[in-house]
């Protein structure tokens, strides 16, 4: 499963290249930007969105006024709508400083990317985000076994179960100043009912690949800082 999965269309083979973001990713990024702007400008709207945290669609009456007008026209089924509602509530539940400055660069870009650069077609998966949280220095770092346990729990969930467990997982990341790529999370939530196994596998693979790379980098850095072995004096 890749990020180019779209409604009623077969998903491209894993690893397929795309010159631009998929329609789902484009919609997700637009939605996230609008929700972030609302949360920053309107405390009342933010409180209404936060009231739906972890709840199904029929238990979030305060959210409809805000979220319904922002849904893409083709988003009609319950599972897809709940993906949008869940991400909106998760965003609203984060601390203000996380929304202002803690969020990872949009579109998977690095902080040095220019404003005119074309957005990357794919974002950062939840698995890679957990790996980043583990690699963080000092008190911002997440224990590896805690991250691994949480990620394995998420990948085993049904659609309702995933929505129910996400608030604790996202809070765990944001508390360590490593918030998820909200747009990529929304894309994966949309696809979860159909592609749960593929997405879960990708999350785990991304986590272990990133941790393996981090371990290799740490080993190389440690080797570079070792003092040179003393040499015996030659006659």
């Amino acid at each position: 499963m890749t990020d180019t999965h779209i409604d009623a269309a077969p998903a491209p083979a894993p690893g397929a290249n795309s010159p631009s973001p998929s329609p789902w990713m484009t919609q997700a990024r637009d939605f996230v930007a609008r929700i972030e702007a609302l949360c920053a400008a309107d405390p009342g709207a933010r409180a209404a969105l936060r009231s739906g945290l972890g709840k199904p669609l029929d238990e979030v009456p305060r959210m409809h006024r805000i979220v319904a007008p922002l849904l893409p026209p083709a988003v009609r089924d319950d599972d897809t709508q709940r993906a949008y509602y869940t991400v909106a509530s998760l965003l609203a539940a984060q601390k203000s400083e996380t929304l202002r400055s803690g969020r990872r660069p949009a579109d998977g870009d690095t902080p040095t990317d220019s404003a005119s650069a074309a957005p990357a077609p794919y974002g950062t998966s939840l698995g890679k985000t957990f790996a980043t949280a583990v690699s963080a220095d000092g008190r911002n770092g997440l224990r590896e076994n805690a991250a691994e346990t949480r990620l394995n729990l998420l990948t085993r969930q049904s659609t309702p179960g995933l929505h129910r467990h996400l608030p604790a997982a996202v809070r765990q990341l944001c508390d360590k100043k490593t918030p998820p790529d909200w747009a990529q999370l929304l894309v994966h939530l949309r696809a979860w009912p159909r592609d749960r196994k593929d997405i879960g596998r990708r999350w785990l693979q991304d986590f272990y690949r990133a941790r393996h790379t981090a371990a290799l980098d740490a080993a190389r850095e440690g080797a570079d800082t070792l003092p040179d072995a003393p040499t015996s004096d030659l006659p």
Side-chain angles (χ1 to χ4, degrees), residues 80-118:
T80 304
Q81 288 191 14
R82 188 171 184 186
Y84 278 86
Y85 276 71
T86 290
V87 169
S89 65
L90 290 171
L91 267 166
Q94 305 317 311
K95 297 177 182 178
S96 297
E97 57 267 26
T98 299
L99 291 173
R100 288 198 304 269
S101 60
R103 184 169 56 88
R104 70 179 63 256
D107 302 336
D109 295 337
T110 62
T112 56
D113 287 337
S114 67
S116 60

Side-chain angles (χ1 to χ4, degrees), residues 25 104-105 107-108 122-125 129 179-186:
M25 181 61 80
R104 70 179 63 256
D107 302 336
Y122 309 122
T124 302
S125 78
T129 302
D181 182 327
W182 302 106
Q184 179 64 87
L185 179 59
L186 175 50

Side-chain angles (χ1 to χ4, degrees), residues 172-187:
Q172 191 176 28
L173 291 170
C174 290
D175 284 348
K176 300 302 181 182
K177 304 188 188 309
T178 315
D181 182 327
W182 302 106
Q184 179 64 87
L185 179 59
L186 175 50
V187 169

Side-chain angles (χ1 to χ4, degrees), residues 139-171:
R139 64 181 180 179
N140 289 334
L142 183 65
R143 287 183 294 111
E144 183 159 10
N145 62 342
E148 189 174 13
T149 298
R150 179 74 71 179
L151 196 57
N152 274 285
L153 174 66
L154 293 175
T155 59
R156 295 195 300 266
Q157 298 304 311
S158 64
T159 299
L162 181 62
H163 286 274
R164 188 168 59 251
H165 284 279
L166 269 175
V170 169
R171 183 170 59 250

Side-chain angles (χ1 to χ4, degrees), residues 50-86:
R50 194 167 56 240
S51 71
L53 194 67
K55 298 178 182 178
L57 288 174
D58 293 334
E59 298 179 16
V60 292
R62 296 176 62 192
M63 293 186 70
H64 297 312
R65 172 180 62 85
I66 302 164
V67 178
L70 301 182
L71 295 176
V75 172
R76 301 182 184 277
D77 66 281
D78 289 354
D79 285 335
T80 304
Q81 288 191 14
R82 188 171 184 186
Y84 278 86
Y85 276 71
T86 290

